[in-house]
Amino acid sequence: MESFELKRSKDSVNSDQSAHWSSFPDEVLERVLSRLKSHRDRSSASLVCKDWYHAERWSRTNVFIGNCYSVSQEIVVRRFSRIRSVTLKGKPRFSDFNLVPENWGANIHAWLVVFAAKYPFLEELRLKRMAINDQSLEFLAVSFPNFKALSLLSCDGFSTNGLAAIATHCKNLTELDIQENDIDDIGGSWLSCFPESFTSLEVLNFANLTSDINFDALEKLVGRCKSMRVLKLNRSVSLEQLQRLLVNAPRLAELGTGSFSQELIVREYEELESALSNCKNMHTLSGLWDAKGIYLPALYPACTHLTFLNLSYAALQSLELAKLLPHRRRLKHLWVLDTVEDKGLEAVGLNCPLLEELRVFPADPFDDEIVHGVTDAGFVAVSFGCPRLHYVLYFCRQMTNAAVATIVQNCPDFTHFRLCIMNPGQPDHLTNEPMDEAFGAVVKTCTKLQRLSVSGRLTDRTFEYIGRYAKNLETLSVAFAGSSDWGMQCVLGGCPKLRKLEIRDCPFGNAALLSGLEKYESMRSLWMSACNVTMNGCRLLAREMPRLNIEVMKEDGSDDSQADKVYVYRSIAGPRRDAPRSVLTL
Amino acid sequence: MPDMELQLGLALPTPNIMKGFDLNNHGLHHLKQTGCFSDKSKRSFDQAFGNFKQDRKTKTLLLWSGQPNEEEDHKDQKKTTFSAIDDNDEEEVEQVVGWPPIKTWRKKIFKQPNGAGGIENNRVADKEKSRSIYVKVKMEGVAITRKVDISLYLSYQTLTNSLIAMFSKDKKCGDDDYTRYILTYQDKEGDWLIAGDIPWQSFTRSVQRLKIIRNRD
């Protein structure tokens, strides 16, 4: 489909019989465009011409809003009338680390009210970093008779009572996915609220909840939901209970176990092993809370088709991981704790040739006294064995420039490179130099790089490299790095595809902030905290760029002129009206 | 030189690391100033042992500048937060707000009573025999703390042998071969006692931390 041809024939609706694209009847155009799934493709299609714009908006059933304040509810419902599925993201990512004040905003309720009026047939709602309370959950449950799927990731403000409302009223629910939320777990019987007649659940994830659940209700629920394919339990579910559930759900594709450390007698162990090996469709396994080495062999015969193994709640030692892995040659995604140490990662390199994603989380992140965990050696070992590696999140206490250079040479296809050297501003531990050359190597070698998190001691040179070489970079996270404004200016002046920039504790000031004037409108957002930006700098930015929202959050007791936390984002909705007092909108 | 080896092995947030300090003297001097480490020349046996009993609540402040800048007196130098390093502090304290960037709920996993293998706590609740009992071990004059699994040992002798092996490479020059060490432990009540007085099994149920101190008798 050539767009330039279409632009030449704008007024073709009622014209000749020539087979120009734009003379297709609307329904055909809509039918074709409805095949487009990617939001970016849809956005591009909507820009071609007016016909396409309308056909696209009438055929769109799924709307993705990456920043809930970038657009208003009215604008959304006016443009799209047939929405069945909504994805909304709210707070800036640094709210995950307590950097955003409470009550900052991103409350879902106003959206729900509008959706209830305009999208009564809404089926799916996926929220990330939004605030949602029990009343909203209840409102959701009763307002949308066709509601099928609820996914809450990193949200806050609700309790298990809200879940009870969902269970009670959503008769067609297929998915209830509660992940990583700040949830008030009052416990109780929300699971028992699913009626006896309810059988449609396919996805149930409550791994996040801490309190005991009503196992009897769960067992019955799993028993009658024959299409269940994803089940992620919380820690309160024991091994023996797990076995009972699995017997009734052998078709599970994704399993999150509960606690994996009950003492079992031989018969119970064998029953568990058998139940696990009967799950022939299982490709994803997580949970394994408190897993003890002696029970892990129960996993060996099962799940030889595993592609995703999440061991990040199990403090496994290197040997335990080394014994587990030879059965997992198909692994593509592996999450572990750094208790496996470099030796464990060597085993990964030896046994997982198809590995695409590795995440290593720290078991003791705040304890500087302890020196264990993983180092540069472990990462290098993985890179030698896993050439397809393209996503890494690596928390470590030491790294070298040479190691990173080797790693990217072995794995040039990185799309996501998130390296966290946990000690802020730490240099190369062998040469004591800054880690500039490491990240230089990353951006020079990994041309497909979309996401980068830098750490360690970094001068402006790192940012010169990034600005110059990271042509596909979309998300950049920076902490405790840089020497001067020049660093940030390099990034803003380069990186043509930059969408999200989040910075904390760096010596970047107003000159840096203002150098991105033109850039911010093509980005989703900018976050700067504990930098050198002042209120005057922010006011100037606000004056120059009226289509940007500039929000400043001040810390207690700080200088009046300092802009402690700045959040800049583009918006067609204008400044928001629901900001709390602690957030100043300029 | 043991001092240098120790320095390189450490990952501590001090401004000097960011400056690129002279490993031989400057760094260690600064680290001593911040009070992170026990300085053997300054502490007598009594002081070392006495500290365990008194003042468990005093904290050593490690002031850390929020700006990784070259100049110490940069006028906008910010102190993000300060960390409290207390030998006897059972809780782990965050050094800097929101750093390392670990999601809140993940931090909560480690603080559960059962622990994710009990890594973050000093001990794992040892309900089952198969559970490990990890306790921290510090040696006087050595910056690095280690962890041992007490459940792997059957007697004081085997434990001591293992500790000697573990820490032998950390012995500083200047110690002669006749320097003797005492193994002390902190019990459930928080008191520091000399190890060996109670039966081994009682010890394993009671020990919270270990510290190896120099015997200056």
Side-chain angles (χ1 to χ4, degrees):
Chain A
M1 293 188 268
E2 299 290 340
S3 56
F4 60 82
E5 279 183 279
L6 290 155
K7 281 180 180 145
R8 268 188 270 132
S9 58
K10 280 192 197 129
D11 50 356
S12 55
V13 176
N14 297 320
S15 68
D16 60 323
Q17 314 296 317
S18 63
H20 267 291
W21 297 111
S22 51
S23 66
F24 273 9
D26 291 335
E27 306 86 66
V28 178
L29 195 49
E30 278 175 47
R31 193 56 91 72
V32 169
L33 290 178
S34 68
R35 307 278 167 163
L36 282 180
K37 297 294 174 216
S38 141
H39 296 105
R40 289 195 199 176
D41 288 345
R42 281 188 161 271
S43 295
S44 307
S46 69
L47 292 172
V48 167
C49 66
K50 229 177 179 160
D51 286 343
W52 281 49
Y53 175 83
H54 290 302
E56 193 279 312
R57 72 184 186 92
W58 287 325
S59 65
R60 195 188 289 215
T61 57
N62 180 342
V63 69
F64 170 87
I65 300 167
N67 174 0
C68 64
Y69 288 120
S70 63
V71 71
S72 72
Q73 296 97 12
E74 289 74 32
I75 294 173
V76 173
V77 298
R78 205 165 47 225
R79 180 170 170 185
F80 303 113
S81 54
R82 298 191 191 158
I83 297 296
R84 302 270 154 150
S85 164
V86 176
T87 303
L88 264 170
K89 295 189 182 181
K91 301 181 199 175
R93 194 179 78 96
F94 278 176
S95 71
D96 286 350
F97 319 124
N98 297 330
L99 288 180
V100 175
E102 268 187 50
N103 306 322
W104 176 83
N107 195 302
I108 190 63
H109 200 81
W111 291 90
L112 289 178
V113 169
V114 172
F115 290 159
K118 300 291 184 181
Y119 303 144
F121 300 115
L122 189 70
E123 294 176 3
E124 295 183 6
L125 189 62
R126 296 176 195 286
L127 305 180
K128 186 169 184 179
R129 293 194 195 99
M130 300 285 296
I132 178 166
N133 62 25
D134 289 342
Q135 285 83 350
S136 297
L137 281 171
E138 182 154 20
F139 180 79
L140 168 66
V142 302
S143 306
F144 303 99
N146 270 12
F147 196 73
K148 295 203 168 91
L150 178 63
S151 167
L152 300 174
L153 174 57
S154 298
C155 296
D156 67 279
F158 63 104
S159 79
T160 38
N161 288 341
L163 299 183
I166 298 285
T168 306
H169 300 290
C170 298
K171 307 267 181 285
N172 298 311
L173 199 68
T174 59
E175 177 176 340
L176 182 58
D177 185 2
I178 312 297
Q179 278 190 66
E180 303 178 9
N181 301 293
D182 194 1
I183 178 175
D184 199 0
D185 190 345
I186 313 176
S189 47
W190 63 275
L191 265 172
S192 336
C193 295
F194 285 107
E196 292 287 322
S197 53
F198 174 79
T199 58
S200 51
L201 204 58
E202 297 169 22
V203 174
L204 177 61
N205 177 359
F206 62 93
N208 197 190
L209 299 182
T210 48
S211 68
D212 291 353
I213 45 106
N214 181 336
F215 181 73
D216 203 46
L218 176 64
E219 195 174 12
K220 293 201 179 96
L221 179 67
V222 172
R224 62 182 188 268
C225 294
K226 301 285 181 215
S227 307
M228 193 170 280
R229 49 187 174 79
V230 176
L231 179 61
K232 298 194 180 170
L233 310 167
N234 76 350
R235 204 181 201 158
S236 74
V237 177
S238 72
L239 276 179
E240 193 234 329
Q241 290 172 330
L242 172 67
Q243 187 266 335
R244 280 159 62 184
L245 291 172
L246 286 179
V247 161
N248 276 327
R251 275 185 295 272
L252 279 182
E254 296 183 30
L255 172 67
T257 74
S259 174
F260 215 78
S261 72
Q262 183 187 0
E263 248 184 44
L264 298 174
I265 60 176
V266 172
R267 179 185 54 82
E268 287 169 333
Y269 178 89
E270 283 170 357
E271 283 174 350
L272 175 66
E273 195 178 24
S274 164
L276 281 167
S277 58
N278 273 341
C279 297
K280 305 263 183 251
N281 293 345
M282 199 177 297
H283 56 69
T284 295
L285 181 64
S286 60
L288 301 168
W289 306 89
D290 319 309
K292 295 309 293 177
I294 53 169
Y295 298 125
L296 290 178
L299 298 174
Y300 295 175
C303 338
T304 44
H305 302 297
L306 271 191
T307 54
F308 183 359
L309 183 55
N310 179 352
L311 298 168
S312 64
Y313 314 138
L316 295 189
Q317 308 296 307
S318 2
L319 273 178
E320 291 165 333
L321 182 64
K323 278 195 232 165
L324 182 58
L325 286 178
H327 307 264
R328 309 277 103 76
R329 293 193 70 81
R330 294 200 193 180
L331 268 185
K332 289 192 184 162
H333 310 271
L334 177 64
W335 297 18
V336 291
L337 281 179
D338 65 357
T339 50
V340 302
E341 300 194 346
D342 289 335
K343 276 209 112 40
L345 293 182
E346 279 170 32
V348 174
L350 287 173
N351 289 294
C352 306
L354 302 181
L355 199 70
E356 296 176 17
E357 174 187 344
L358 174 69
R359 301 196 195 200
V360 182
F361 295 95
D364 276 310
F366 306 114
D367 196 345
D368 271 350
E369 290 184 328
I370 304 293
V371 178
H372 59 54
V374 295
T375 72
D376 42 290
F379 198 168
V380 170
V382 173
S383 74
F384 274 113
C386 309
R388 297 192 196 186
L389 198 63
H390 69 84
Y391 191 121
V392 88
L393 170 60
Y394 199 82
F395 284 86
C396 60
R397 287 190 169 86
Q398 66 186 42
M399 188 52 64
T400 69
N401 289 304
V404 176
T406 305
I407 288 159
V408 293
Q409 200 168 31
N410 294 336
C411 306
D413 296 330
F414 273 112
T415 54
H416 297 68
F417 193 91
R418 302 165 64 188
L419 176 62
C420 181
I421 303 168
M422 287 193 273
N423 195 19
Q426 183 173 299
D428 179 318
H429 90 97
L430 282 181
T431 66
N432 217 42
E433 282 170 8
M435 295 297 294
D436 296 334
E437 295 308 312
F439 293 105
V442 172
V443 293
K444 283 179 203 164
T445 315
C446 306
T447 53
K448 301 180 204 165
L449 195 70
Q450 291 168 29
R451 183 171 178 185
L452 179 64
S453 299
V454 299
S455 59
R457 182 172 170 220
L458 301 174
T459 70
D460 286 342
R461 160 119 325 154
T462 296
F463 303 103
E464 283 175 14
Y465 286 140
I466 293 174
R468 204 158 123 207
Y469 293 102
K471 295 298 174 205
N472 285 312
L473 191 67
E474 297 179 14
T475 304
L476 178 62
S477 302
V478 185
F480 308 105
S483 330
S484 72
D485 285 332
W486 173 241
M488 186 171 163
Q489 285 169 330
C490 287
V491 171
L492 290 169
C495 299
K497 294 200 184 166
L498 194 65
R499 293 190 307 124
K500 286 180 279 186
L501 180 56
E502 43 185 34
I503 302 173
R504 63 165 293 181
D505 294 274
C506 296
F508 304 140
N510 293 337
L513 176 71
L514 294 166
S515 70
L517 273 188
E518 263 114 54
K519 191 135 185 137
Y520 300 136
E521 276 193 358
S522 65
M523 288 169 55
R524 184 186 292 174
S525 64
L526 165 74
W527 169 280
M528 284 178 81
S529 60
C531 297
N532 289 344
V533 174
T534 68
M535 293 299 294
N536 283 337
C538 294
R539 286 192 194 105
L540 189 53
L541 180 62
R543 223 170 21 241
E544 293 294 314
M545 306 295 298
R547 279 199 303 257
L548 295 178
N549 281 357
I550 322 279
E551 297 187 9
V552 178
M553 290 150 269
K554 296 190 61 70
E555 308 227 316
D556 293 330
S558 80
D559 195 331
D560 274 345
S561 64
Q562 284 300 109
D564 305 310
K565 296 176 181 171
V566 182
Y567 185 47
V568 177
Y569 57 93
R570 66 179 172 189
S571 176
I572 55 175
R576 62 183 174 115
R577 287 171 292 251
D578 64 351
R581 262 207 318 252
S582 57
V583 177
L584 302 162
T585 312
L586 299 178
Chain B
M1 286 182 277
D3 283 2
M4 276 188 74
E5 281 163 10
L6 275 178
Q7 294 308 319
L8 286 172
L10 290 172
L12 281 160
T14 69
N16 280 321
I17 287 178
M18 292 175 267
K19 276 188 184 180
F21 61 97
D22 171 6
L23 286 172
N24 282 320
N25 294 309
H26 190 204
L28 187 58
H29 178 65
H30 175 85
L31 291 165
K32 282 179 190 168
Q33 278 179 325
T34 58
C36 300
F37 306 112
S38 52
D39 180 348
K40 63 175 179 183
S41 62
K42 288 187 182 151
R43 283 167 62 166
S44 68
F45 169 81
D46 287 321
Q47 204 175 359
F49 195 71
N51 274 347
F52 303 145
K53 294 210 166 190
Q54 301 154 13
D55 261 338
R56 226 161 283 124
K57 294 199 176 29
T58 56
K59 295 183 192 293
T60 310
L61 289 178
L62 176 69
L63 282 174
W64 187 77
S65 162
Q67 300 294 345
N69 271 339
E70 307 298 322
E71 295 81 48
E72 218 24 61
D73 40 274
H74 182 83
K75 74 169 156 68
D76 285 337
Q77 181 178 53
K78 295 188 189 72
K79 295 179 170 41
T80 20
T81 62
F82 56 83
S83 69
I85 298 182
D86 180 347
D87 250 347
N88 301 320
D89 202 348
E90 300 264 320
E91 287 171 8
E92 308 301 348
V93 178
E94 259 185 57
Q95 308 251 332
V96 176
V97 173
W99 188 266
I102 315 260
K103 289 184 180 172
T104 315
W105 66 274
R106 219 175 242 287
K107 285 189 272 180
K108 282 185 185 158
I109 300 172
F110 304 133
K111 294 204 156 80
Q112 298 279 317
N114 293 332
I119 291 293
E120 197 79 348
N121 305 328
N122 289 325
R123 290 186 60 104
V124 181
D126 51 334
K127 293 200 194 90
E128 286 109 29
K129 293 193 205 85
S130 53
R131 290 250 188 176
S132 315
I133 309 172
Y134 283 97
V135 298
K136 292 188 189 178
V137 189
K138 267 195 88 108
M139 179 164 172
E140 192 186 327
V142 173
I144 302 172
T145 302
R146 299 190 198 274
K147 263 183 170 158
V148 287
D149 182 356
I150 296 281
S151 72
L152 297 177
Y153 303 99
L154 300 171
S155 68
Y156 286 109
Q157 193 59 52
T158 49
L159 172 64
T160 320
N161 289 345
S162 186
L163 291 177
I164 290 172
M166 197 187 282
F167 281 101
S168 61
K169 44 184 167 352
D170 294 319
K171 271 177 62 179
K172 293 197 196 260
C173 314
D175 284 352
D176 52 36
D177 286 329
Y178 298 104
T179 308
R180 300 176 81 223
Y181 292 87
I182 295 181
L183 179 63
T184 63
Y185 72 102
Q186 185 180 38
D187 69 7
K188 278 185 175 155
E189 278 90 54
D191 297 323
W192 282 91
L193 308 166
I194 295 181
D197 283 346
I198 60 175
W200 173 255
Q201 284 302 328
S202 315
F203 170 78
T204 61
R205 280 191 291 271
S206 169
V207 61
Q208 302 294 308
R209 286 178 189 257
L210 291 169
K211 182 142 181 163
I212 303 167
I213 58 175
R214 230 170 261 108
N215 184 353
R216 287 188 178 74
D217 283 340

